[in-house]
């Protein structure tokens, strides 16, 4: 026993030294921030609240490309230069290996699917989100759920520090179920439980790849595995509930209704029948769109409302545009698709919010063959992180990046603005999301004056697959008085 202990004491430092030397010889011409000889950058990123700012500092210092080393993994390349991002995301579509942890939840859905599967599924699914008539039909649902959010917020009027994010998540989840799934009778308490379970899964999955729990045999011994099992049961149950209500709804339809206002799920079921696809195909895509369709949109709405609360002069311009469109701010107005498209300044505001607070701050790609990225030769199987947040906060592309300036998008949308990713594997629901954001934000601004929270606070931003504030996205409210 004593001999074995001595061997371990000797071998572990030798092993760590070997990993360190291997790291420094790996794509040697790509810069790497200074790090610990044996433990790489591991200690530097123990504080999750500093990861965003630290990675962004490195993006600026090293010109948009550098490598990070956390043993025992090989170094990961971090890129934030727009030209490099576009070159990579248009040619390499395979997701990085870090995404495999999501497969117990969303299997071969669009987010995680291998490239061959993704190409087939994307081609089949794109028409479900590309039809203008379908998007127009969704506006009434967005408006109805926006009214529900107003009711939630009205009940919080006495609270000087409202965390709006959990309230908005319920609304966007309801909207996703009613529009894309075509169901509207799900239990509200269960919807709340689903949101909590989903957030738990995201935290578990984002932490796994950078810890010893990345190894399955160690992960299965951890408490995270037990918590994941519980959360997966909840998300599995909501899929069953959606399918049960969808079957009941379809059985109650008359002939005239059968081909009108088909939901995303209706189209998926048609695709399944036509091409003989499995039940798992439906499950994976439903789970993918429940995640991607409500959480990221809720994040974007919440950060935009917070930004308006912290920038009163910009909020005044948004309200002025509403008055110009409708003659007053008419808080009880039901807005049409045409009117949403006319909200040009609100569009700028949303873009600036997506720049400052991109809901997906980073994405991963894997190099599937030796590849020249800019001036650098990358080896096969290298993992690359596309750091969207760092690109959006680089003064080279966006002067005064920490200031909220919607007018920066007046002339054009720069290539460095990539909140929905870039290339063939970009976000399929970006038009859907923008429409819902406009509907919800315009309605809230007409009902309430958004004010900073009391007492003041600073958001603790971290990455949990999406951009997340550990201490909430907070503001206070004051009811507007109609001008009529």
């Amino acid at each position: 026993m004593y001999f074995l202990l001595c061997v371990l004491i000797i071998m572990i430092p030798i092993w760590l030294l070997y990993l360190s030397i291997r790291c420094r010889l790996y794509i040697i011409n790509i810069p790497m921030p200074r790090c610990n000889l044996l433990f790489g950058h591991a200690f530097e990123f123990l504080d999750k609240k500093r990861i965003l700012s630290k990675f962004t500092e490195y993006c600026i210092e090293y010109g948009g490309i550098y490598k990070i080393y956390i043993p025992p993994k090989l170094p990961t390349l971090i890129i934030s230069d727009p030209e490099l991002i576009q070159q990579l995301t248009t040619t390499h579509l395979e997701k990085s290996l870090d995404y495999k942890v999501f497969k117990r939840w969303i299997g071969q859905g669009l987010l995680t699917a291998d490239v061959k599967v993704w190409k087939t599924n994307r081609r089949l699914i794109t028409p479900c989100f590309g039809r203008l008539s379908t998007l127009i039909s969704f506006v009434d649902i967005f408006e109805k759920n926006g009214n529900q959010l107003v009711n939630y917020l009205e009940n919080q009027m006495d609270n000087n520090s409202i965390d709006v994010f959990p309230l908005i998540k319920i609304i966007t989840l309801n909207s996703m179920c009613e529009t894309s799934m075509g169901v509207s009778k799900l239990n509200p308490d269960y919807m709340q439980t689903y949101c909590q379970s989903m957030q738990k899964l995201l935290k578990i999955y984002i932490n796994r790849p950078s810890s010893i729990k990345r190894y399955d045999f160690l992960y299965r011994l951890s408490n995270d595995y037990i918590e994941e099992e519980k959360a997966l049961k909840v998300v599995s149950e909501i899929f069953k509930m959606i399918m049960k209500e969808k079957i009941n709804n379809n059985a109650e339809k008359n002939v005239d209704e059968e081909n009108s206002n088909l939901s995303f799920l209706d189209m998926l079921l048609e695709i399944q029948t036509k091409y003989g696809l499995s039940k798992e195909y439906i499950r994976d895509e439903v789970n993918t769109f429940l995640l991607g369709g409500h959480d990221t949109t809720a994040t974007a709405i919440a950060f935009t409302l917070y930004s308006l609360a912290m920038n009163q002069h910009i909020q005044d311009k948004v309200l002025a545009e509403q008055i110009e469109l409708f003659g007053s701010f008419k808080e009880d107005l039901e807005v049409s698709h045409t009117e949403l498209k006319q909200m040009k300044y609100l569009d700028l505001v949303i873009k600036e919010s997506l720049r400052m607070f991109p809901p997906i701050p980073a994405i991963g790609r894997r190099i599937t063959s030796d590849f020249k990225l800019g001036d650098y030769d990358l080896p096969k199987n290298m993992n690359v992180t596309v750091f969207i947040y760092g690109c959006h906060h680089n003064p080279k592309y966006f002067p005064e990046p920490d200031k909220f300036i919607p007018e920066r998008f007046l002339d054009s949308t720069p290539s460095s603005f990539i909140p929905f990713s870039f290339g063939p594997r970009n976000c399929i629901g970006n038009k859907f999301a923008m429409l819902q954001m406009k509907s919800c934000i315009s309605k809230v601004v007409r009902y309430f004056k958004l004010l900073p929270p009391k007492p003041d606070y600073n958001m603790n931003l971290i990455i949990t697959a999406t951009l997340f504030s550990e201490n909430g996205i907070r503001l206070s409210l004051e009811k507007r008085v109609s001008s009529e």
Side-chain angles (χ1 to χ4, degrees), residues 314-329 339-349 438 442 445-446:
I314 294 172
Q315 185 181 163
D316 290 343
K317 291 181 181 180
V318 172
L319 182 63
E321 180 177 67
Q322 301 296 306
I323 294 173
E324 183 179 347
L325 280 173
F326 306 119
S328 76
F329 54 74
E339 289 162 334
L340 288 175
K341 288 188 67 176
Q342 293 173 334
M343 297 178 186
K344 302 298 185 182
Y345 189 74
L346 180 55
D347 190 68
L348 302 181
V349 167
K438 275 190 170 182
S442 63
V445 169
R446 291 195 305 273

Short mmCIF file of all heavy atoms in Angstrom, two decimals, residues 314-329 339-349 438 442 445-446:
data_model
loop_
_atom_site.label_atom_id
_atom_site.label_comp_id
_atom_site.label_asym_id
_atom_site.label_seq_id
_atom_site.Cartn_x
_atom_site.Cartn_y
_atom_site.Cartn_z
N ILE A 314 -34.03 56.15 -23.87
CA ILE A 314 -34.32 55.19 -24.95
C ILE A 314 -35.73 54.63 -24.79
O ILE A 314 -36.46 54.48 -25.78
CB ILE A 314 -33.27 54.06 -24.94
CG1 ILE A 314 -31.90 54.64 -25.30
CG2 ILE A 314 -33.66 52.93 -25.88
CD1 ILE A 314 -30.75 53.68 -25.16
N GLN A 315 -36.14 54.39 -23.56
CA GLN A 315 -37.51 53.94 -23.31
C GLN A 315 -38.51 55.00 -23.80
O GLN A 315 -39.56 54.65 -24.38
CB GLN A 315 -37.72 53.66 -21.82
CG GLN A 315 -39.07 53.08 -21.50
CD GLN A 315 -39.29 52.82 -20.01
OE1 GLN A 315 -40.41 52.64 -19.56
NE2 GLN A 315 -38.21 52.80 -19.24
N ASP A 316 -38.19 56.27 -23.59
CA ASP A 316 -39.06 57.35 -24.06
C ASP A 316 -39.21 57.31 -25.58
O ASP A 316 -40.31 57.55 -26.12
CB ASP A 316 -38.51 58.71 -23.63
CG ASP A 316 -38.61 58.94 -22.12
OD1 ASP A 316 -39.39 58.21 -21.47
OD2 ASP A 316 -37.90 59.83 -21.61
N LYS A 317 -38.14 56.99 -26.28
CA LYS A 317 -38.20 56.90 -27.75
C LYS A 317 -39.06 55.72 -28.19
O LYS A 317 -39.79 55.80 -29.19
CB LYS A 317 -36.79 56.78 -28.33
CG LYS A 317 -35.94 58.03 -28.20
CD LYS A 317 -34.57 57.83 -28.84
CE LYS A 317 -33.69 59.05 -28.68
NZ LYS A 317 -32.35 58.84 -29.30
N VAL A 318 -38.95 54.61 -27.46
CA VAL A 318 -39.79 53.44 -27.79
C VAL A 318 -41.25 53.78 -27.61
O VAL A 318 -42.10 53.47 -28.46
CB VAL A 318 -39.40 52.23 -26.90
CG1 VAL A 318 -40.40 51.08 -27.10
CG2 VAL A 318 -37.99 51.75 -27.22
N LEU A 319 -41.59 54.47 -26.50
CA LEU A 319 -42.98 54.85 -26.25
C LEU A 319 -43.46 55.86 -27.30
O LEU A 319 -44.59 55.78 -27.78
CB LEU A 319 -43.11 55.45 -24.85
CG LEU A 319 -44.54 55.84 -24.44
CD1 LEU A 319 -45.45 54.62 -24.38
CD2 LEU A 319 -44.53 56.57 -23.10
N ALA A 320 -42.57 56.79 -27.67
CA ALA A 320 -42.94 57.78 -28.69
C ALA A 320 -43.29 57.10 -30.01
O ALA A 320 -44.22 57.53 -30.71
CB ALA A 320 -41.79 58.78 -28.88
N GLU A 321 -42.57 56.07 -30.34
CA GLU A 321 -42.88 55.34 -31.57
C GLU A 321 -44.25 54.66 -31.47
O GLU A 321 -45.02 54.64 -32.44
CB GLU A 321 -41.81 54.28 -31.84
CG GLU A 321 -42.06 53.47 -33.10
CD GLU A 321 -40.94 52.48 -33.38
OE1 GLU A 321 -40.78 51.52 -32.58
OE2 GLU A 321 -40.23 52.65 -34.39
N GLN A 322 -44.58 54.13 -30.28
CA GLN A 322 -45.89 53.51 -30.09
C GLN A 322 -47.02 54.55 -30.25
O GLN A 322 -48.03 54.29 -30.90
CB GLN A 322 -45.98 52.88 -28.69
CG GLN A 322 -44.95 51.80 -28.41
CD GLN A 322 -45.10 50.59 -29.29
OE1 GLN A 322 -46.18 49.98 -29.36
NE2 GLN A 322 -44.04 50.22 -30.00
N ILE A 323 -46.79 55.73 -29.70
CA ILE A 323 -47.79 56.80 -29.81
C ILE A 323 -47.93 57.25 -31.26
O ILE A 323 -49.04 57.50 -31.75
CB ILE A 323 -47.41 57.98 -28.89
CG1 ILE A 323 -47.48 57.55 -27.41
CG2 ILE A 323 -48.31 59.18 -29.14
CD1 ILE A 323 -46.96 58.60 -26.44
N GLU A 324 -46.81 57.32 -31.96
CA GLU A 324 -46.86 57.71 -33.36
C GLU A 324 -47.65 56.69 -34.20
O GLU A 324 -48.40 57.06 -35.11
CB GLU A 324 -45.44 57.84 -33.91
CG GLU A 324 -45.38 58.32 -35.36
CD GLU A 324 -43.96 58.46 -35.88
OE1 GLU A 324 -43.02 58.41 -35.05
OE2 GLU A 324 -43.79 58.60 -37.10
N LEU A 325 -47.50 55.43 -33.86
CA LEU A 325 -48.20 54.38 -34.61
C LEU A 325 -49.69 54.33 -34.31
O LEU A 325 -50.52 54.12 -35.20
CB LEU A 325 -47.59 53.01 -34.29
CG LEU A 325 -46.29 52.63 -35.01
CD1 LEU A 325 -45.73 51.34 -34.45
CD2 LEU A 325 -46.54 52.49 -36.51
N PHE A 326 -50.04 54.55 -33.02
CA PHE A 326 -51.41 54.28 -32.59
C PHE A 326 -52.18 55.52 -32.12
O PHE A 326 -53.34 55.41 -31.72
CB PHE A 326 -51.41 53.24 -31.47
CG PHE A 326 -50.67 51.98 -31.84
CD1 PHE A 326 -49.57 51.56 -31.11
CD2 PHE A 326 -51.08 51.23 -32.94
CE1 PHE A 326 -48.90 50.40 -31.46
CE2 PHE A 326 -50.41 50.07 -33.29
CZ PHE A 326 -49.31 49.66 -32.55
N GLY A 327 -51.54 56.69 -32.12
CA GLY A 327 -52.24 57.91 -31.72
C GLY A 327 -52.15 58.18 -30.24
O GLY A 327 -52.30 59.31 -29.80
N SER A 328 -51.96 57.15 -29.45
CA SER A 328 -51.66 57.24 -28.01
C SER A 328 -50.95 55.95 -27.68
O SER A 328 -50.70 55.13 -28.56
CB SER A 328 -52.93 57.38 -27.17
OG SER A 328 -53.60 56.13 -27.08
N PHE A 329 -50.59 55.73 -26.40
CA PHE A 329 -49.90 54.47 -26.15
C PHE A 329 -50.88 53.31 -25.96
O PHE A 329 -50.47 52.17 -25.88
CB PHE A 329 -48.91 54.56 -24.98
CG PHE A 329 -49.47 55.07 -23.69
CD1 PHE A 329 -50.31 54.30 -22.91
CD2 PHE A 329 -49.13 56.33 -23.24
CE1 PHE A 329 -50.78 54.76 -21.70
CE2 PHE A 329 -49.60 56.81 -22.03
CZ PHE A 329 -50.44 56.01 -21.25
N GLU A 339 -48.31 46.07 -38.00
CA GLU A 339 -47.91 47.11 -37.05
C GLU A 339 -46.61 46.74 -36.34
O GLU A 339 -45.77 47.61 -36.07
CB GLU A 339 -49.03 47.36 -36.05
CG GLU A 339 -50.23 48.07 -36.69
CD GLU A 339 -51.51 47.95 -35.89
OE1 GLU A 339 -51.65 46.96 -35.12
OE2 GLU A 339 -52.37 48.82 -36.04
N LEU A 340 -46.42 45.46 -36.04
CA LEU A 340 -45.15 45.04 -35.43
C LEU A 340 -43.98 45.33 -36.36
O LEU A 340 -42.91 45.76 -35.93
CB LEU A 340 -45.20 43.55 -35.08
CG LEU A 340 -46.10 43.14 -33.91
CD1 LEU A 340 -46.14 41.63 -33.77
CD2 LEU A 340 -45.64 43.78 -32.61
N LYS A 341 -44.17 45.10 -37.65
CA LYS A 341 -43.10 45.37 -38.62
C LYS A 341 -42.78 46.86 -38.71
O LYS A 341 -41.66 47.24 -39.08
CB LYS A 341 -43.51 44.84 -39.99
CG LYS A 341 -43.50 43.33 -40.12
CD LYS A 341 -43.72 42.89 -41.55
CE LYS A 341 -42.55 43.27 -42.45
NZ LYS A 341 -42.69 42.78 -43.82
N GLN A 342 -43.75 47.72 -38.37
CA GLN A 342 -43.53 49.16 -38.45
C GLN A 342 -42.77 49.72 -37.24
O GLN A 342 -42.39 50.89 -37.24
CB GLN A 342 -44.88 49.87 -38.57
CG GLN A 342 -45.58 49.60 -39.90
CD GLN A 342 -46.99 50.18 -39.94
OE1 GLN A 342 -47.63 50.36 -38.90
NE2 GLN A 342 -47.47 50.48 -41.14
N MET A 343 -42.52 48.90 -36.23
CA MET A 343 -41.82 49.36 -35.03
C MET A 343 -40.32 49.32 -35.26
O MET A 343 -39.59 48.48 -34.74
CB MET A 343 -42.23 48.49 -33.83
CG MET A 343 -43.70 48.58 -33.49
SD MET A 343 -44.15 47.48 -32.11
CE MET A 343 -45.94 47.69 -32.10
N LYS A 344 -39.84 50.27 -36.05
CA LYS A 344 -38.45 50.29 -36.49
C LYS A 344 -37.47 50.60 -35.34
O LYS A 344 -36.40 50.01 -35.25
CB LYS A 344 -38.25 51.31 -37.61
CG LYS A 344 -39.13 51.07 -38.85
CD LYS A 344 -38.84 49.73 -39.50
CE LYS A 344 -39.64 49.54 -40.78
NZ LYS A 344 -39.40 48.22 -41.39
N TYR A 345 -37.84 51.55 -34.49
CA TYR A 345 -36.92 51.88 -33.40
C TYR A 345 -36.87 50.75 -32.38
O TYR A 345 -35.78 50.43 -31.86
CB TYR A 345 -37.32 53.19 -32.70
CG TYR A 345 -36.25 53.64 -31.73
CD1 TYR A 345 -35.06 54.20 -32.19
CD2 TYR A 345 -36.40 53.48 -30.36
CE1 TYR A 345 -34.05 54.59 -31.31
CE2 TYR A 345 -35.41 53.86 -29.47
CZ TYR A 345 -34.23 54.41 -29.96
OH TYR A 345 -33.23 54.79 -29.09
N LEU A 346 -37.99 50.13 -32.11
CA LEU A 346 -37.99 48.98 -31.20
C LEU A 346 -37.11 47.87 -31.76
O LEU A 346 -36.43 47.16 -31.01
CB LEU A 346 -39.42 48.46 -30.97
CG LEU A 346 -39.56 47.25 -30.04
CD1 LEU A 346 -38.93 47.51 -28.68
CD2 LEU A 346 -41.03 46.88 -29.88
N ASP A 347 -37.10 47.72 -33.06
CA ASP A 347 -36.23 46.73 -33.70
C ASP A 347 -34.76 47.03 -33.38
O ASP A 347 -33.99 46.11 -33.08
CB ASP A 347 -36.47 46.76 -35.21
CG ASP A 347 -35.79 45.62 -35.93
OD1 ASP A 347 -36.21 44.47 -35.73
OD2 ASP A 347 -34.82 45.86 -36.68
N LEU A 348 -34.38 48.32 -33.43
CA LEU A 348 -33.01 48.70 -33.10
C LEU A 348 -32.70 48.38 -31.64
O LEU A 348 -31.60 47.92 -31.31
CB LEU A 348 -32.79 50.19 -33.35
CG LEU A 348 -33.04 50.74 -34.76
CD1 LEU A 348 -32.74 52.24 -34.80
CD2 LEU A 348 -32.19 50.01 -35.79
N VAL A 349 -33.66 48.65 -30.77
CA VAL A 349 -33.49 48.40 -29.33
C VAL A 349 -33.26 46.92 -29.07
O VAL A 349 -32.38 46.53 -28.29
CB VAL A 349 -34.71 48.92 -28.54
CG1 VAL A 349 -34.70 48.40 -27.11
CG2 VAL A 349 -34.73 50.45 -28.55
N LYS A 438 -40.98 41.60 -30.12
CA LYS A 438 -41.61 42.89 -30.41
C LYS A 438 -43.01 42.97 -29.79
O LYS A 438 -43.38 43.99 -29.20
CB LYS A 438 -41.70 43.09 -31.92
CG LYS A 438 -40.48 43.68 -32.56
CD LYS A 438 -40.78 44.07 -34.01
CE LYS A 438 -39.66 44.87 -34.61
NZ LYS A 438 -39.96 45.31 -35.98
N SER A 442 -43.38 45.71 -26.70
CA SER A 442 -44.20 46.88 -27.00
C SER A 442 -45.41 46.94 -26.07
O SER A 442 -45.81 48.02 -25.62
CB SER A 442 -44.66 46.86 -28.47
OG SER A 442 -45.48 45.74 -28.75
N VAL A 445 -44.25 48.04 -22.50
CA VAL A 445 -43.88 49.46 -22.47
C VAL A 445 -45.13 50.34 -22.51
O VAL A 445 -45.15 51.42 -21.90
CB VAL A 445 -42.93 49.80 -23.64
CG1 VAL A 445 -42.77 51.31 -23.80
CG2 VAL A 445 -41.57 49.14 -23.42
N ARG A 446 -46.17 49.92 -23.20
CA ARG A 446 -47.41 50.71 -23.22
C ARG A 446 -48.14 50.67 -21.89
O ARG A 446 -48.83 51.61 -21.52
CB ARG A 446 -48.33 50.22 -24.35
CG ARG A 446 -47.82 50.50 -25.74
CD ARG A 446 -48.91 50.35 -26.80
NE ARG A 446 -49.55 49.05 -26.78
CZ ARG A 446 -49.11 47.98 -27.44
NH1 ARG A 446 -47.99 48.06 -28.15
NH2 ARG A 446 -49.75 46.84 -27.38
#
